[in-house]
Amino acid sequence: TTPFATRQDSASRSFKSHSVGVFAQDTLSLNEQWKVVLGLRWDKFSASYHTITKTVTPNTFGDFARKDNNVSYRAGVIYQPSTRHTVYASTGTSFNPSAEAYSLDVSSEQTPPEKNINYEIGARYDKEDSSLTARVSLFRTVKTNERNPDTIPGSAFLLSGKRHTDGVELEVAARITEHWDLFAGATFMKSNIDKTNQATQLDKTALNTPNRTINLWNTYKFTPEWKAGVGFNVIGARYTSHANTNLLPSYMRWDAMVGWEKGKASVQLNIGNLLNAKIYEGLYTGHTVAAPLRNFQLTGSYRF
């Protein structure tokens, strides 16, 4: 007979991170129509990664750590010709530390954060009786120094890449009747890798960037105590590599809920993936993770 194989723990890993942020923001009213928004933020991010590889004797250890301090800003201007109409333009910065994926190695330990800048212009309409709110915006997000691997093993990543994503976003919140509320949104995007030291990735679509996302949600109140809701989310196809060699298909997921509330008590049943669709949700370079099939969540609360 063939003996059962012995299970062996090949590695033990731990990751710890600490994040501290301080920010200030103010809105300055120049007059009844014009406002200026200014914001400043400071972040400190530190992370440590420890691994013990147990497949060799003696065990080998890997310890990596990194600390980053970054300042980001936000600035915008708002024009309101009336209480119902708003037009705005804004810009802001952000950063992605090298340890954002819950791991560090000899290369990422030496690499400063990637930096991003976002530009947006938009308009909003609010009906006087609050039964309708609509918003449209155009945006561009630029990663100015994307990480690229160096040709020398063990060296820090080269912050020499660049990419951008252009998009348009639409949102509507409406009270159709006294009992029926509707919320809808759609975003259409196009990304491009502008600069890279990987020839197969130049001018390709960035990974995990769907060309569209669409959502719709309805709630209807049948009685003062009972309400129900149904809606869907659409996620467009996504590439799993910058070389655009693998593609996850687009999907639509329907969700629903039914709720009861009276006085201080409430109960709600949420049904996820109502139609039991097979959906690939988690995205990685070498594999994907399926989303849960139809699932139920029952919650209750009582306010004292």
Side-chain angles (χ1 to χ4, degrees):
T1 60
T2 303
F4 289 104
T6 302
R7 296 184 62 183
Q8 181 177 355
D9 186 5
S10 61
S12 176
R13 299 179 177 91
S14 65
F15 178 86
K16 296 181 180 180
S17 66
H18 300 276
S19 180
V20 177
V22 178
F23 70 92
Q25 182 172 296
D26 195 15
T27 301
L28 309 175
S29 296
L30 305 181
N31 54 42
E32 291 185 359
Q33 288 80 36
W34 290 93
K35 295 180 176 67
V36 174
V37 179
L38 298 172
L40 193 66
R41 181 183 178 103
W42 172 82
D43 285 277
K44 180 179 181 180
F45 180 81
S46 61
S48 61
Y49 183 79
H50 177 69
T51 181
I52 305 174
T53 303
K54 302 177 179 180
T55 55
V56 295
T57 304
N59 295 338
T60 59
F61 298 84
D63 292 289
F64 306 100
R66 178 159 186 91
K67 295 181 180 180
D68 291 299
N69 295 277
N70 282 271
V71 175
S72 53
Y73 70 85
R74 181 188 180 194
V77 59
I78 301 171
Y79 175 60
Q80 293 177 299
S82 73
T83 57
R84 293 174 295 155
H85 302 85
T86 301
V87 180
Y88 68 91
S90 67
T91 183
T93 59
S94 60
F95 69 97
N96 303 99
S98 299
E100 64 179 343
Y102 308 111
S103 66
L104 281 168
D105 57 26
V106 67
S107 294
S108 59
E109 180 186 45
Q110 307 172 64
T111 307
E114 297 176 319
K115 295 184 177 181
N116 318 288
I117 186 166
N118 182 75
Y119 308 95
E120 184 174 339
I121 59 173
R124 173 173 169 161
Y125 171 78
D126 295 279
K127 200 171 179 180
E128 289 183 354
D129 62 359
S130 301
S131 63
L132 175 66
T133 296
R135 187 180 71 87
V136 59
S137 66
L138 302 172
F139 63 87
R140 166 169 282 203
T141 301
V142 183
K143 189 178 291 293
T144 58
N145 62 339
E146 187 175 19
R147 288 185 287 265
N148 282 171
D150 197 346
T151 55
I152 302 175
S155 299
F157 287 107
L158 300 175
L159 295 176
S160 58
K162 184 178 180 181
R163 73 166 88 161
H164 76 272
T165 299
D166 293 327
V168 57
E169 187 174 26
L170 308 166
E171 289 183 349
V172 174
R175 179 165 296 155
I176 309 300
T177 70
E178 184 181 353
H179 305 286
W180 179 17
D181 291 325
L182 179 146
F183 307 90
T187 302
F188 302 93
M189 296 180 290
K190 180 175 176 55
S191 68
N192 190 77
I193 299 176
D194 306 306
K195 186 179 179 182
T196 176
N197 63 2
Q198 307 293 309
T200 58
Q201 300 178 8
L202 189 62
D203 291 326
K204 297 295 180 65
T205 299
L207 64 83
N208 201 21
T209 308
N211 61 355
R212 68 189 186 280
T213 63
I214 303 171
N215 64 82
L216 177 70
W217 181 253
N218 298 268
T219 59
Y220 193 87
K221 201 163 189 178
F222 296 94
T223 71
E225 293 84 21
W226 288 93
K227 67 177 180 180
V230 65
F232 64 81
N233 281 277
V234 173
I235 303 295
R238 295 159 293 160
Y239 286 105
T240 64
S241 69
H242 288 315
N244 294 176
T245 53
N246 297 318
L247 186 72
L248 282 185
S250 62
Y251 69 81
M252 173 184 284
R253 187 194 73 236
W254 285 85
D255 301 312
M257 61 78 63
V258 59
W260 173 87
E261 182 175 4
K262 188 172 184 178
K264 297 180 179 181
S266 64
V267 179
Q268 182 166 311
L269 174 66
N270 289 82
I271 307 173
N273 196 359
L274 180 66
L275 302 184
N276 211 34
K278 187 176 183 179
I279 297 170
Y280 296 106
E281 197 170 54
L283 181 153
Y284 300 90
T285 302
H287 67 282
T288 184
V289 176
L293 296 175
R294 186 184 300 114
N295 57 92
F296 303 86
Q297 182 179 27
L298 181 66
T299 58
S301 67
Y302 185 85
R303 299 185 301 275
F304 294 95

